[in-house]
Amino acid sequence: MNSSGKNVLIVDDEPSLRMLIRAVLESDGWTVHEAQSGEQALEILPGLTLNAALIDMRMDGMDGMTLLKELNSIMPGLPVIMLTAYGNVNSAVVAMKHGAFDYLTKPADNEELKAVMAKALDYSRLVDENEKLKSAAGATVDMIGSSQGMLHVKDLIEQAGPSEATILVLGESGTGKELVAEGLHRASLRADKPLIKVNCAALPADLLESELFGYMKGAFTGANANKPGRFQLASGGTLFLDEIGEMDPVLQAKILRALQEKVVEPLGSVSPVETDVRIIAATNRDLKKEVEIGNFREDLYYRLSVLEIRIPPLRERVGDLPALVAYLLEKLGRKNNKKVRSVSPSFLDVLSSYDWPGNVRELENVLERAIILSRSEVLGQELLPPQVHNPSPRIPAPEPVSQQQSQQQPAPPSPPGPTTLDDAERQALITALEANQHHRERTADALGISRRTLQYKLKKYGLTRR
């Protein structure tokens, strides 16, 4: 339904009656759609946004009662007014018991028709408003936790969701940035339109550009047909740009133009294409620092950070662990076809003393491993992996230094002995790999670097496993 317009579908096999009703309703500000049969009404229904429907009780083929049931199934809550001959009022009353909003006898009095349609419009807007309230209330349903930090995140989602503001979601890897984006979309006025997600770190710059903006036939070898980009696919909805801190500077300029001018240029196109999308971006980087060292455009940063939502890491909300564990046990138990009722107190104690460098994603992996290995319905601490029992100290990623800073600041004195900076970095990589069972994504998360950077360093130090 549509809470801002006045759209009605008339279904009747008498053209003269449809014309008469159309004239009355259009003079009252309604946009009128017509169908001469129930079958035709169902054909055109997917392309319509409606506030009400007027249906004749008796038609050739599908009758009004059958169509009423179909409409109630496809568009629940849509007010349907039945049109009936004077001698068939009883049938219309039966239809109301089966979900019809009201009925009118033919030929309907003009003023009575307008009055019934006004009531139907009020009802449809009330249904829409209730749906929006339910959507807003359920926007944070997947955000588990009642710590102060998580309550603040949920409050921001509910406040910012209905706005059109561009949102920047900040948080370490595994904290649930995608869940926040989904919550913002559900709470928005665009909730019935698509939410399109793009991982900016997953593709090289040239492929990412064609994914975002699309391309025209013949734009490059292999472009055999026009392909719409993610901006076009998200039209009317929300575009989620995950890991935007990894984006190439040239592509950053094109994103900035799309934000400022609301247009994109598909590869090979000679004319821009207008877009209507809301942008939600996310990163695990400190974009202010990235701006300072020249890795991220300052103007794009300020465009993206109209409102920032920071998700606290799991180590800052250990009080949420019992609720998270209970939720994940049920979810992972269903996934792995195993019934697990709870965890032992010692299991929870070990979880609470670990600092969770991989955040909720790492917790989910640890619990899934324990569920798979468990032979009972209560998980014991012996099922936890070594890195949780005996965690290695976290190794922060080295701070990036700009070229200007490196010229201004003298090089630090070399450490005593034969150990070089490369030797120390190589040893840190080996330690982190062993602590995470050579799982590269978890290792990158633990070191606070991207998987691409980790891959580069492994190659550099000859640590790539073949």
Side-chain angles (χ1 to χ4, degrees):
M1 285 185 285
N2 180 9
S3 60
S4 61
K6 296 172 70 174
N7 298 277
V8 62
L9 173 64
I10 304 170
V11 188
D12 197 300
D13 54 8
E14 295 181 45
S16 58
L17 185 66
R18 293 201 308 270
M19 185 174 66
L20 193 63
I21 294 175
R22 172 187 278 274
V24 174
L25 293 183
E26 284 184 339
S27 70
D28 200 32
W30 287 84
T31 299
V32 178
H33 307 276
E34 293 184 33
Q36 63 183 6
S37 67
E39 291 83 359
Q40 186 186 21
L42 294 179
E43 282 180 19
I44 65 173
L45 200 61
L48 300 182
T49 303
L50 297 176
N51 299 91
L54 283 161
I55 298 175
D56 188 16
M57 283 290 296
R58 290 194 173 182
M59 296 181 288
D60 292 335
M62 183 184 294
D63 63 14
M65 186 66 79
T66 305
L67 180 57
L68 170 66
K69 292 175 182 176
E70 292 289 338
L71 285 176
N72 284 342
S73 173
I74 298 168
M75 289 187 169
L78 178 72
V80 178
I81 297 102
M82 308 305 293
L83 299 170
T84 182
Y86 182 77
N88 294 321
V89 171
N90 288 340
S91 299
V93 172
V94 172
M96 290 183 67
K97 290 180 180 178
H98 287 83
F101 178 76
D102 207 336
Y103 72 91
L104 291 167
T105 55
K106 298 192 291 185
D109 177 77
N110 291 353
E111 294 307 313
E112 186 183 9
L113 173 61
K114 290 179 184 179
V116 170
M117 293 303 295
K119 284 196 299 180
L121 181 62
D122 288 341
Y123 177 80
S124 75
R125 287 175 174 169
L126 183 62
V127 170
D128 275 335
E129 191 62 31
N130 285 339
E131 287 301 317
K132 285 174 185 173
L133 289 172
K134 284 180 185 176
S135 178
T140 58
V141 68
D142 294 327
M143 305 289 294
I144 307 298
S146 56
S147 61
Q148 195 59 42
M150 287 308 295
L151 290 176
H152 182 59
V153 169
K154 293 177 183 180
D155 186 50
L156 286 175
I157 290 173
E158 290 172 4
Q159 284 185 293
S163 75
E164 285 292 300
T166 303
I167 310 289
L168 181 60
V169 184
L170 305 172
E172 296 177 6
S173 291
T175 49
K177 296 186 288 294
E178 189 172 328
L179 281 178
V180 171
E182 290 170 354
L184 286 165
H185 179 68
R186 282 198 298 269
S188 75
L189 302 179
R190 298 170 175 262
D192 59 340
K193 300 295 182 181
L195 168 63
I196 302 296
K197 305 171 186 178
V198 183
N199 187 330
C200 300
L203 295 170
D206 52 346
L207 289 179
L208 181 58
E209 182 176 1
S210 66
E211 276 296 310
L212 287 170
F213 305 127
Y215 54 78
M216 306 301 289
K217 181 179 179 181
F220 50 83
T221 304
N224 300 320
N226 295 344
K227 180 187 176 184
R230 301 296 178 93
F231 270 89
Q232 291 150 285
L233 293 174
S235 180
T238 305
L239 182 63
F240 175 48
L241 300 175
D242 198 9
E243 302 299 351
I244 197 167
E246 310 286 335
M247 186 177 283
D248 182 87
V250 174
L251 205 47
Q252 290 176 28
K254 296 186 177 183
I255 292 290
L256 178 63
R257 186 191 176 203
L259 278 168
Q260 288 177 330
E261 301 178 21
K262 305 290 185 185
V263 296
V264 295
E265 284 191 21
L267 296 176
S269 174
V270 294
S271 58
V273 176
E274 290 189 6
T275 64
D276 172 27
V277 296
R278 183 199 191 176
I279 300 291
I280 298 172
T283 181
N284 60 6
R285 291 175 175 255
D286 184 336
L287 285 193
K288 284 185 179 178
K289 286 186 179 179
E290 295 296 309
V291 168
E292 289 171 7
I293 64 177
N295 288 343
F296 201 82
R297 291 182 65 106
E298 184 176 25
D299 45 6
L300 178 57
Y301 169 69
Y302 287 119
R303 276 280 175 180
L304 292 172
S305 60
V306 175
L307 176 69
E308 292 185 355
I309 298 180
R310 178 186 175 271
I311 311 174
L314 188 51
R315 63 183 173 277
E316 290 181 11
R317 54 184 189 108
V318 177
D320 288 336
L321 269 173
L324 277 166
V325 169
Y327 170 77
L328 291 171
L329 282 183
E330 183 185 359
K331 171 187 168 184
L332 297 170
R334 287 197 310 268
K335 175 185 172 184
N336 292 284
N337 298 313
K338 290 191 78 172
K339 185 179 180 181
V340 177
R341 287 190 295 108
S342 61
V343 300
S344 68
S346 59
F347 186 99
L348 201 56
D349 286 343
V350 176
L351 295 187
S352 300
S353 62
Y354 184 54
D355 75 346
W356 298 106
N359 293 291
V360 179
R361 185 184 297 133
E362 184 182 9
L363 173 64
E364 187 168 352
N365 290 341
V366 166
L367 288 175
E368 185 163 20
R369 175 186 185 272
I371 287 171
I372 292 168
L373 296 177
S374 175
R375 295 181 182 277
S376 73
E377 293 186 1
V378 178
L379 302 182
Q381 64 167 321
E382 70 281 357
L383 297 169
L384 291 170
Q387 78 268 18
V388 177
H389 277 291
N390 303 297
S392 303
R394 260 191 117 192
I395 307 163
E399 288 289 333
V401 181
S402 67
Q403 187 176 359
Q404 183 181 8
Q405 287 174 321
S406 65
Q407 290 171 349
Q408 291 175 348
Q409 297 176 1
S414 300
T419 304
T420 66
L421 184 60
D422 280 355
D423 289 336
E425 190 173 49
R426 186 177 191 276
Q427 186 56 48
L429 286 168
I430 292 171
T431 302
L433 282 166
E434 289 174 351
N436 291 281
Q437 288 82 48
H438 291 269
H439 189 288
R440 292 189 182 179
E441 186 171 349
R442 289 204 297 267
T443 302
D445 289 347
L447 291 170
I449 60 178
S450 69
R451 188 168 177 178
R452 188 187 302 171
T453 302
L454 176 65
Q455 183 68 22
Y456 165 78
K457 291 183 181 294
L458 293 179
K459 281 187 179 180
K460 176 181 176 182
Y461 296 116
L463 299 174
T464 306
R465 298 177 71 186
R466 300 186 181 279

